[in-house]
Amino acid sequence: MNSLWAAYVSLAVAIACEVTGTSLLQKSEQFSKLLPTIGMVICFAVSFAFLSLALKAIPLGIAYAIWGGVGIVLTTIISVVVFRFTLDAWAILGIALIVSGVLVMNLLSNSAAH
């Protein structure tokens, strides 16, 4: 497997763990529930470990923009579907702008690793 492909797989794992950890943060109820709290800590640790692996081939700014942007979008989807939060038009616009920014950085910028 080439190093760029491995870096993006590592970034995907990092994002999945970050989103899971953030969801468990909600479930931990301000750290009052032990199992979700432990799960959250483990997920965040694994997320940062895989993010560091991704940084071997993806520049920090690009990796962090993808990690943060995709994480925000997925966490928002989970909060709407699982936790029944609602979004207004401004929240949806903000999320669309985040997605647009990540796409611009990856598709148009020469800074992204391709």
Side-chain angles (χ1 to χ4, degrees), residues 18-86:
E18 185 267 332
V19 169
T20 303
T22 303
S23 299
L24 288 171
L25 180 60
Q26 175 73 29
K27 288 295 214 180
S28 76
E29 297 181 13
Q30 295 74 43
F31 308 115
S32 66
K33 294 196 174 184
L34 184 61
L35 290 180
T37 300
I38 292 170
M40 178 211 57
V41 170
I42 291 168
C43 285
F44 281 134
V46 171
S47 177
F48 281 111
F50 276 91
L51 180 59
S52 73
L53 293 175
L55 295 178
K56 289 180 179 181
I58 305 170
L60 174 63
I62 301 300
Y64 191 76
I66 296 168
W67 182 77
V70 174
I72 288 168
V73 171
L74 292 177
T75 300
T76 302
I77 291 168
I78 289 171
S79 70
V80 168
V81 173
V82 175
F83 300 118
R84 304 285 185 224
F85 293 134
T86 58

Side-chain angles (χ1 to χ4, degrees), residues 58-59 62 105 108-114:
I58 305 170
I62 301 300
M105 285 182 74
L108 303 176
S109 174
N110 290 327
S111 299
H114 293 285

Side-chain angles (χ1 to χ4, degrees), residues 87-112:
L87 300 176
D88 61 14
W90 292 111
I92 294 168
L93 175 62
I95 291 168
L97 290 171
I98 291 167
V99 170
S100 298
V102 170
L103 289 173
V104 165
M105 285 182 74
N106 279 284
L107 299 176
L108 303 176
S109 174
N110 290 327
S111 299

